[in-house]
Amino acid sequence: EIVLTQSPGTLSLSPGERATLSCRASQSVSSSYLAWYQQKPGQAPRLLIYGASSRATGIPDRFSGSGSGTDFTLTISRLEPEDFAVYYCQQYGGSWAFGQGTKVEIK
Amino acid sequence: EVQLVQSGAEVKKPGESLKISCKGSGYSFTNYWIGWVRQMPGKGLEWMGIIYPGDSDTRYSPSFQGQVTISADKSISTAYLQWSSLKASDTAMYYCARIGGLWSTTSPFDYWGQGTLVTVSS
């Protein structure tokens, strides 16, 4: 069973800054079946990125994903006020798992 | 419009049974896998299992195998998550979500229900 480890646990940044979130897998993620979700308080998660680097429908281009194998990154190029939230990576396909989450908070 | 509408919040006592539901609309419910995700208070997301409503093929996370039962009734486009004997540690928000690929598990969760809060307390 693959374990996903996200870092850092909390990222304190100001609006307009760049956010870089990491997700490391304990084994190689097949076919880059890696997704990123955003969750705000009191809401269900929302799909941002799938296939490691493809943006889901309606997701702004300030969100980008990269990586392969065991190391993946979610980058938010310029933080908007509505981007402060918790972000989860997820492996899907034959095996399913979520990372523990990274909270992006206002500095 | 794709929608997943979950049943309402529940308050139960330890040892009681419970079945919560997730009704899909706006798409062919039979042909897309549905998953269940647990979120304990203040914690992260945990994948519990998935079901293909077309033939009820079900896959469980090892962490939840034997602890819950996932089922579906394709005639009413509804998936279920049930417990036979609840524990206080089952207190959590439970989400259903659709896997986005037609017939396939090789897609992420693209649509989510609003969540069902289950509280288990004596």
Side-chain angles (χ1 to χ4, degrees), chain A residues 1 33 35 37 39 42-47 50 88 90 92-94 96-100, chain B residues 37 39 43-47 50 61-63 95 99 105-110 112-114:
Chain A
E1 191 174 336
Y33 290 149
Y37 299 85
Q39 188 179 32
Q43 296 184 17
R46 177 175 71 145
L47 177 65
Y50 64 94
Y88 296 94
Q90 180 209 32
Y92 56 91
W96 294 71
F98 287 98
Q100 83 278 18
Chain B
V37 176
Q39 188 167 40
K43 302 299 183 182
L45 306 173
E46 300 174 88
W47 169 68
I50 55 175
S61 161
S63 300
Y95 293 101
I99 294 175
T105 63
T106 56
S107 291
F109 292 130
D110 61 349
W112 293 68
Q114 83 277 19

Side-chain angles (χ1 to χ4, degrees), chain B residues 28-42:
Chain B
S28 178
F29 183 80
T30 302
N31 293 330
Y32 288 81
W33 290 77
I34 289 279
W36 287 95
V37 176
R38 183 175 78 173
Q39 188 167 40
M40 299 177 76

Side-chain angles (χ1 to χ4, degrees), chain B residues 36-77:
Chain B
W36 287 95
V37 176
R38 183 175 78 173
Q39 188 167 40
M40 299 177 76
K43 302 299 183 182
L45 306 173
E46 300 174 88
W47 169 68
M48 301 178 71
I50 55 175
I51 187 166
Y52 187 71
D55 62 6
S56 291
D57 184 9
T58 308
R59 321 273 173 87
Y60 290 95
S61 161
S63 300
F64 291 92
Q65 179 84 47
Q67 308 304 308
V68 297
T69 301
I70 294 171
S71 60
D73 184 342
K74 62 184 179 181
S75 69
I76 55 171
S77 301

